[in-house]
């Protein structure tokens, strides 16, 4: 039997960080692999809501 490679469904082992808009924890996604450090929002809705808020 070969050794398991990469992610095999253990989401608890992935890095997380809070969303800048709603504060909910976001888990790492493969789509964010290249820019995980710059990801700030968990969804497009949170990104839009944060941009509309007065500063």
């Amino acid at each position: 039997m070969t050794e398991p490679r990469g992610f095999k469904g253990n989401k608890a082992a992935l890095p997380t960080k809070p969303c800048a808009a709603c504060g909910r924890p976001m888990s790492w996604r493969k789509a964010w692999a290249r820019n995980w450090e710059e990801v700030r929002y968990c969804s497009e809705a949170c990104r839009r809501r944060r941009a509309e808020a007065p500063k």
Side-chain angles (χ1 to χ4, degrees):
M1 186 167 176
T2 62
E3 289 187 27
R5 295 182 344 203
F7 179 68
K8 293 294 183 188
N10 186 3
K11 198 167 188 176
L14 295 174
T16 62
K17 61 181 169 179
C19 173
C22 67
R24 288 187 293 183
M26 318 182 267
S27 292
W28 182 91
R29 298 179 190 171
K30 189 170 182 174
W32 293 338
R34 289 189 213 159
N35 63 344
W36 174 244
E37 297 301 319
E38 289 87 39
V39 174
R40 297 183 59 208
Y41 305 108
C42 64
S43 66
E44 190 65 24
C46 279
R47 188 187 62 78
R48 273 186 265 133
R49 187 176 342 134
R50 188 62 166 207
E52 292 171 1
K55 293 186 179 182

